[in-house]
Amino acid sequence: MPQTDQVPHRFSKHGFSLEKAIRFFFASNAGLTIVILLLIIAFLLKEGLGFFPGYRRELQVYRIAGLEFVDLSRSNLSAHEQLASVLNRAYFAEINGLCTRELKRSQEAAALFNAFSDRSSATRELLVSNLGAGAEAHPDLLATLRKNHAASIHQALAALPATPHLTSAERADLLQSIATRDVTATDDPPLVASLAQQYAAAQQQQSVPLARLRETIDAFEAAGADLSVLVSDMTATVTATKEAIQNADILNKGRASLLAAAGHAKDPATRERLLTDARRSLAANPDIDAPMQALMLHKPVCCAAHTALRQACATILEQLPPTLSQPEAQRLLRAARSATGPFLANLANTPQRISEWRHDQPVPLSAAIGSFLTGKDWVTGGEWQDFYGILPLLVGSLMISLVALCLAIPAGVGAAIYINQFASLMEQAIVKPVIEFIQAVPSVVLGFIGILVFGSVLRDISQLDALAWVPGFPIEERLNIFTAGCLLALMSIPTIFSLAEDALNNVPAAYAEASDALGASRLQTSFRVIIPAAFSGILAAVLLGLGRVIGETMVVLLVAGNRIKIPDFSSGIGAFLQPSHTLTGIIAQELGEVPLGSVHYQALFVVGILLFAIVLGINATAHQFISRPRN
Amino acid sequence: MYNPESLIRKGLPKGHIKDRLVRFSLGLVTYLIVIIAALLFFKIIKDGAPVLLTTKAPYVDLGFLLDKNETLHVFHDARGQRHQLAASKYSAYVKDHAGEPIYNERTFSYSGGGIIGPIVGTVLLTVGSMVLALFFGVSAAIYLSEYAKQSPFIHAVRLAILNLAGIPSIVFGLFGFSVFVLAVPVITSTPSERTLLTVPLFIGKAVLSFQGWNSSLLAGCATLACMILPVIITASEESLRAVPQGFRDAALAMGATRWQTIRTCVLPFSIPGILTSSLLAITRVAGETAPIMFTAAVAAKDDLPWQSLANPFDLLSSQVQALPYHIYTLAARIPASEFTQRAQYGSVFVFLMIVASLSFGSMLLRAKLRSKLKW
Amino acid sequence: MVTDLTNQAAAPPAAIQIANLSFAYHAKPALRDITLDLPTHQITALIGTSGSGKSTLLRCCNRINERIAGAHITAGSIHIHGIDINRPDIDLQELRRRVGMVFQKYNPFPKSIFENVVFSLRLSGVRKRSELDEAAERALHAAALWGEVKDRLDTSALGLSGGQQQRLCIARAIASQPDILLMDEPCAALDPIATLKIEELLHQLKQQFTIIIATHNMAQATRCADHTAFLYLGKLIEFAPTIQLFNTPHHPQTLAYVTGSFG
């Protein structure tokens, strides 16, 4: 049958059709995922990229206003203060160590009394307020209040802390005196007071042979006075300059936006008004040269102060006793000694840095980027100077992840091996749903448990005398890297478990059969054939678990302790028991409080970009392992 | 020729002790996880259940579930009696007992009343985001499983899904904040100062202003939907692919169009699977805090979302309370004490029960589905 | 061929003695009352339709069937060189090292060629490199694979062709120097050329090993086997020297099967 162009074959379709529209609809929904991903990247970059120029300007202001100059001296001053504090702690550790018995007795008696007062204070205050002069309380009311108070005293006496260092006679005496105490009495019970006196006397007695150490420390502290005065003088000057520059920046910005608005305005009257406003806000460029010159005059004084301080410190530190008798004091003394070298070296080279410092040295963009990536300080909202250094956050995130993985890998992979290779069907039916259930527990609930239960339990455990040998014990903060790591481990176990179990399950049954036929025992089959064959899958499981851990927010926000500081590694593994902050936590904590578009706001988006890149990199690596052909 | 007697084992099998040891330690690790999980649930149930459950009928403290969240006032009256009253009852008390002194008054934020606000907010957020995610996600999955052939577009879609699935929830929070809160277009006659762009619509004074939806229910739902989209797509595609190819071939062979085939022979059989896996997605959406912190959630709110609204659409643009955010507030912002325990453990208990029943339901459904659908 | 017949008349002593063996998966019987003596250093073929129990019988000889839940012997016994292999005090690992097995689908481990071959030696604790090298070379020679792989012993076994992989599995099975080799349709997944190579190999291996081969390919049985057993629905129908079984079967069912009337 001849075909003409005008009459299409009945099987062919042209132009618009419903089918095509439906297909297009579904395709566009699939494309939505790409759009979302691109939007995420685009908006993170849009909000974040302005950070580096903005931060550069802040660093520039930091320099031209002279804050950087002051910080040269200020850093030495704070190092000096720290060193003095360590020495003081060593001194008191020595004294307290020498009169431990008196200290403990005094502390226990006071603790007992405080516990009693806490528990009975509510009823007592109520009673006292009705007894006071002018209070015309009804006798019945007073009787009720007295009865209530007596009951609460009775309750409080029933649950008081132990006092191992008091004799039972002393304890009985103390209990007697607090039970029969007048409700209006405010002074301490006699035993508490006398024990405190005994302690003070013992301290006094022990400090006599240490008088020389005391003098040395006092001399050391006094040596910093000159520099301290100098720094606080300069601080006032440079802060004023900085404020002037910042105000000018704000005015300039406002003027620029007024001018831009004027350019777009169609109505001549409006334009005129905007231009007038802009002219009025024309900022007088702040005078930075005069204060800077004044500041530069300080240069020789500063140098001199540093040299003097260095000489004073060097001689004073030589007079420290070689050893102290108490272990804690000895540890602190050693810490002070080891800090002395760098401190003196810094003091020595500061004069040169001071004289070389120039306020008009440019701040390149790379300096801002470098300061972000390698900065050890994340200081925001301070009066002095904001710094956006990612290191404390990154280190915190990595340390928490390390703890979490150290716990979750053995647990998750071990459980996967057990369930896949050795468990009975019955065991599988119990364990698998439980682990699946852990996965469903929202992270905020885990954080809640961490903050209200786990942290305190951990602290109580760490205070056991039997565990005193563990580095970092007893812990100072109940919310720390380790606490957060434990909870994150619990969170990532389901991920690691189920993916590792899948990987083990996907190993062809023929491998196990062949291995058995070759005379392998069950254990040999598992560990020599199946687990190696599933290895890349297990590795992927671990990596995906790591991605989940690094990206987790609520647990670390609640439980990590939120102290923005690189943990002190000098205490070795105890560094893991210090609080920390994280990449995710800082965003969650600060985004709600920063002004839109500020450098701080942008910094949080850059942290988001970094987080995005890290997690995506980890996941991409994991998927490489999953998709890699098995050989 | 070897000695056949060597087949006979002397004593215990070789490596017997090692075998036992390895099994034991692996088992120990496994059951340690189970025990820790059990302890965790036990602790929450032990401290949380007494808040919600009572010994008298109806055995549930409806007040905790149905009252609004308020500040808790703790004080002693002149008779030395201690009272714990939520703010509204406290003011009623003060009115009733005018002139009587009150002692030792202390207040605890967020600790009084009930949690109806957070519950309702979480339900609204979950329903809203699941509606969005299911609509777009199932459509995308239909394309991937029914229409798609190998092409650069499909490759890009799959890559995007894979990457979206791995993005940390806080980054979704940043994304939702910068896009839905600050940048998406709205139609308004008075564009805000921070608008990125305005497009005149030539209908009265209305303009299309790219100024975002502010922190609102809609912004929160959209953010959560984006987050859960890859999960929904993957699960739906799996359910769609589980429908045997024969069904499609048969329908197509009878002259049905693609869409007719999908509508009559594919979707109906995959819907149970899609819904089952959506239940799991719901637990995730309901439990997330980080994405809604800046996009929808508010710590304290006097009214329920739909109360005191000028028009029903304002519901979408109002902020809501949410259970996970409420728990975050209770855990992070108020110190633990005997008076806050009720609110803290009660909320966590309710939240965990909701999540647990969803996840348990999904597990049951999945098991049922597996035994029922066999083709 | 005719000379073969006379040799078989004076059959060597049995390596495996199966006596009244019945076997079941759960309650479903798979083997019924089988009695069979498999001669040493000869090739015995087990033929039959699928489901006839030939694989099951083979897998009883190294007790690999026990891997399947519910599989158990209901009656009878298997003796290897006079030892009852179902005694409770049998060293199962040792048994499987003495009775090697090759599977239908070649299944080398995802390890290097070398590691595959020395797998069973490593299991029994051999650490010395020289010993392992020697054993690997010997096994690969015996499996006629040495020439093809000697330069790439450390590459992945999964990079070999199908026939090579199957011969590698044979090398792996004989590396621990068993004296019985069970082959469960070793050529079912291979192309004709690879099949031919394996069959040639069987003739060489016969010198050292007692070989039992399950096959559904009757031509293969006639080409390789000295003796053939025909199983049907779990019962041993007929066991005879191969030529006799194919040329002059005693049993009508055997006749029907070998002439292709059913199955």
Side-chain angles (χ1 to χ4, degrees), chain A residues 70-86 220-221 224-225 227-228 231 306 309 339 343 346-347 350 377 384:
Chain A
V70 179
D71 267 349
L72 287 176
S73 309
R74 192 200 266 266
S75 64
N76 286 324
L77 199 60
S78 62
H80 177 257
E81 275 165 16
Q82 261 175 20
L83 197 51
S85 129
V86 173
F220 183 76
E221 277 179 326
L227 191 60
S228 171
V231 165
H306 273 96
L309 180 60
F343 170 63
N346 263 340
L347 281 183
T350 303
D377 301 296
W384 179 249

Side-chain angles (χ1 to χ4, degrees), chain A residues 19 29 126 141 427 436 615 619, chain B residues 31 78 103 136 139 257 366:
Chain A
E19 273 298 304
N29 278 318
L126 210 52
L141 170 61
E427 285 177 293
E436 209 167 306
V615 172
N619 286 355
Chain B
Y31 285 102
Y103 301 103
F136 292 112
S139 306
T257 63
R366 215 167 347 142

